[in-house]
Amino acid sequence: MTPGKPRNLATYIFIGLIVIMGIEIIYLVVQNRILKNIIADPTKYFRTLSKNEVVPSFSAQDIEGNDVEVNYAPDEPYTMLFWFGSTCSSCEDNIGYWKRLYGEYRSERLRFLGIFIGNPGSARRYVSARQIEFPVLCATHRYLVDVYRGHVLPQTMLVTPQGVVDGIWPGILRENEETAIIELIENLQDRW
């Protein structure tokens, strides 16, 4: 063994590690771009419900752990659903708007329900910390999240008394979407 070979071996190992790290950095940059695109428009990557799709009635627990039935029938009110969770930092952007909607438009013909992804204990702490007044139910079973495609958080959804999706707004609400929701609610009020 000549004295130069160990140095060459160390050089090759060092170069190999730099190449591997460079490949990992490129991979992370690509993954970061994909995640930014998902955050910018989650509907391209996760299928949400669409307008005019029919959803079933469901049961869930409220933040106190009580079972609550949410039914759809001609004599039931319209239902505005707000999907959120404690691990969703983007949900914070919608909560203030949702609280204003609830304060201004709740009525016998329009019920508002938050759907929290998680258990009642976590939901209770989250609701208390943000002083949320609208009723909150907990999606503790995957069935509810899967059927309503509540994988995209935050998500705002309006369902007719017959269980038909009348409007859906996934992600952080932009000003034009907030205006569209208010116009839709006010048009519904004109028909009542």
Side-chain angles (χ1 to χ4, degrees):
M1 200 160 163
T2 62
K5 285 194 177 181
R7 191 176 309 165
N8 286 340
L9 181 61
T11 302
Y12 291 133
I13 291 172
F14 182 72
I15 291 171
L17 288 173
I18 290 176
V19 168
I20 290 170
M21 287 176 22
I23 291 169
E24 285 188 27
I25 289 171
I26 291 169
Y27 176 75
L28 290 173
V29 167
V30 169
Q31 290 298 312
N32 187 38
R33 286 186 182 155
I34 290 170
L35 288 174
K36 283 182 179 180
N37 289 334
I38 290 171
I39 290 169
D41 187 4
T43 59
K44 287 183 181 177
Y45 299 89
F46 300 103
R47 187 167 179 270
T48 60
L49 291 172
S50 300
K51 187 174 168 108
N52 298 322
E53 282 192 65
V54 178
V55 292
S57 298
F58 65 93
S59 63
Q61 290 184 335
D62 65 13
I63 63 175
E64 300 303 325
N66 302 310
D67 290 330
V68 176
E69 294 284 330
V70 177
N71 294 306
Y72 301 116
D75 58 335
E76 293 290 332
Y78 279 80
T79 305
M80 182 70 75
L81 298 173
F82 306 134
W83 291 80
F84 61 101
S86 60
T87 59
C88 168
S89 59
S90 299
C91 293
E92 297 289 335
D93 294 327
N94 285 4
I95 287 178
Y97 175 73
W98 291 341
K99 287 167 59 173
R100 285 191 307 277
L101 268 183
Y102 175 71
E104 292 178 33
Y105 295 102
R106 69 177 173 214
S107 71
E108 291 181 12
R109 297 296 303 143
L110 178 61
R111 67 180 158 197
F112 290 84
L113 295 172
I115 306 294
F116 183 85
I117 308 298
N119 66 54
S122 296
R124 197 170 33 258
R125 288 187 295 277
Y126 190 91
V127 165
S128 175
R130 287 150 188 86
Q131 300 176 342
I132 295 172
E133 294 179 6
F134 52 81
V136 175
L137 302 178
C138 301
T140 56
H141 301 289
R142 292 293 319 166
Y143 172 78
L144 179 58
V145 177
D146 290 343
V147 168
Y148 278 75
R149 297 192 196 114
H151 307 284
V152 175
L153 299 178
Q155 189 171 168
T156 309
M157 181 184 305
L158 179 64
V159 181
T160 70
Q162 294 77 22
V164 178
V165 176
D166 199 21
I168 187 158
W169 302 270
I172 298 170
L173 293 168
R174 294 181 287 278
E175 187 175 334
N176 63 330
E177 293 171 320
E178 291 176 0
T179 302
I181 292 169
I182 289 171
E183 288 174 1
L184 183 58
I185 290 172
E186 289 177 351
N187 285 337
L188 290 175
Q189 287 177 330
D190 290 342
R191 291 186 266 165
W192 296 335

